[in-house]
Amino acid sequence: MVIKNRSTFFCQGSFEDSPNFPSCHFLETVPQKIIDKEINPFVDKWEEEGQFPAHKVFKILGQAGFLGVDKPTEYGGMGLDFSYNIAVAEELGNVRCGGIPMAIGVQAGMATPALTRFGSHELKKQFLVPTIAGDFVACLGISEDGAGSDVANIKTTAVRKGDEYVINGGKMWITSGSQADWMCLLANTSKGPPHQNKSLICLPMNLPGIHVAKKIDKLGMRSSDTAQIFFEDVRVPCKNLIGEEGKGFTYQMLQFQEERLWGVATALTPMETIIQETIDYTGQRKVFGQPVLHNQTVHFRLAELATEVELLRSLLHRAVALYVEGNDVTKFASMAKLKAGRLTREVTDSCLQFWGGMGFTNEVLVSRFYRDLRLMSIGGGTDETMLSIICKYMDILPRK
């Protein structure tokens, strides 16, 4: 079954009876209205500038409720389950670039899940409430120059001195890093085993000793500013610790489930859009006296790609349904992330080929997504990392 409105899947059964949920119509129409009015008309400009105005865009989204869909109503959220967050993520795929949905994902589903689950009431009031409202821009400080997918290998330290942590080190590839008001920082707080010595800390980005070294010039995701950041004797109150000291690695692994599912969801609509725009273009473009689309190799390939997208959507929805029920979906989330990374490459590469010379220009959407969606196989855990996780759950990963 092809689901035309992505949010329809999540508006079945008991979900629509939630007292906090306005209506499924709200999810189907409001995100698109905001995208059409407040985002897509400016995307080309923001892509050229290498940055979109995160505070402005997030405030609009925050006022509409889309930065806290699955967050508690006590802190300004809608109080819905995670499936609604995924429905919003699919709708955000209508943004005509990858960078802005990615930054929204960091704000709504990557920097805040651990704070929501394990943070103190005071921390939630200080950081979660304004983040949900769109008054704060959040970033996630995990990756480092020598530790991307290998989270256990991070070197940044947060040494307790009195009632403060003193932070030294640096973070790399930080989405919204040059605009962020605070960072959900993962740092080593002891010298113990690498999976037990890390903690998550809410770090205000205006503290002395925080240096945004540069905004990174990237192949794609051009409208999302990505920064390299250094910390030099940065002092932050110990009360900014999220949950328990030493539990940061575990908390981050839990966050990764939501992050990877969100990433898969935001890739579905762009792939559908690219396929449809390719159908429209090849139906008009004539080569050797007939439309390109009439070549069997073209229409068969497009049909095959559309089928693969629907299969990926089904896997995503299964994983989300299990996750909402309280299950560990690390294996399914990793499978979906792996498949999404590879399928986005297949879709964009195949479709770009059918556009011919036009596909090699910056004038068409397929070339932008060819660059943007390449990150799907790298960010949030590489394809190889996903394969290792899947092998571990299959009990076929060689033991050290």
Side-chain angles (χ1 to χ4, degrees), residues 139-192:
C139 65
L140 181 62
I142 306 297
S143 294
E144 298 181 4
D145 198 18
S149 296
D150 184 10
V151 175
N153 195 39
I154 65 166
K155 305 301 183 186
T156 297
T157 59
V159 179
R160 185 187 285 264
K161 292 188 178 180
D163 60 355
E164 293 180 318
Y165 286 111
V166 180
I167 301 168
N168 284 281
K171 294 294 176 179
M172 189 71 165
W173 317 115
I174 306 304
T175 298
S176 301
S178 64
Q179 299 186 73
D181 297 289
W182 72 279
M183 172 186 287
C184 179
L185 171 74
L186 185 70
N188 297 315
T189 49
S190 73
K191 294 183 179 180

Side-chain angles (χ1 to χ4, degrees), residues 83-128:
S83 65
Y84 291 97
N85 212 22
I86 290 297
V88 170
E90 289 197 46
E91 294 301 321
L92 287 172
N94 288 299
V95 175
R96 294 182 72 81
C97 70
I100 295 172
M102 178 178 69
I104 295 170
V106 170
Q107 180 88 355
M110 299 179 197
T112 52
L115 174 60
T116 303
R117 286 194 188 98
F118 306 109
S120 67
H121 175 64
E122 290 72 21
L123 270 188
K124 291 175 187 176
K125 284 180 19 181
Q126 183 180 354
F127 293 99
L128 185 61

Side-chain angles (χ1 to χ4, degrees), residues 42 99 107 110 184 202 229 234 253 281 284 303 338 352 394:
F42 312 103
Q107 180 88 355
M110 299 179 197
C184 179
C202 291
I229 300 172
V234 179
M253 292 304 105
Y281 181 71
Q284 299 172 8
L338 173 69
L352 189 150
M394 293 174 65

Side-chain angles (χ1 to χ4, degrees), residues 221-236:
M221 301 293 192
R222 305 287 298 179
S223 56
S224 173
D225 65 288
T226 307
Q228 182 179 22
I229 300 172
F230 292 108
F231 311 111
E232 185 179 357
D233 292 331
V234 179
R235 293 181 174 271
V236 62

